Amino acid sequence: PEYRYSDIAVSCVGMLVDGLDALYARLKRAGIETWSEGGIVQLMDGTRSVVVRDPDVGAFVELFEKRAE
């Protein structure tokens, strides 16, 4: 079945990364499914984030990059 990010017991993991734009571009070229509407989004605190689906198990993977201080 197709899982939603808000479903109980859905698998998800978050990873802090450097170079989010380059990493996301590589993932898109590899055909990864993006779950975040519009791709990379910027949160109110300046953090940039994108949620993709793991192609092997369908888990949600949040990649995020903190604003440079």
Side-chain angles (χ1 to χ4, degrees):
E2 184 62 30
Y3 296 105
R4 297 183 311 258
Y5 195 74
S6 60
D7 286 346
I8 295 173
V10 72
S11 296
C12 62
V13 63
M15 294 181 215
L16 177 63
V17 301
D18 290 322
L20 180 60
D21 293 303
L23 175 58
Y24 182 53
R26 272 191 8 231
L27 292 172
K28 286 192 332 184
R29 283 193 303 273
I32 201 85
E33 178 187 351
T34 302
W35 185 82
S36 299
E37 188 173 321
I40 297 174
V41 297
Q42 184 163 333
L43 308 177
M44 291 178 62
D45 69 353
T47 299
R48 298 173 63 240
S49 172
V50 64
V51 178
V52 297
R53 299 296 297 268
D54 177 299
D56 294 323
V57 297
F60 293 95
V61 179
E62 179 182 14
L63 306 168
F64 61 97
E65 181 175 60
K66 294 287 190 178
R67 177 180 62 196
E69 302 276 330

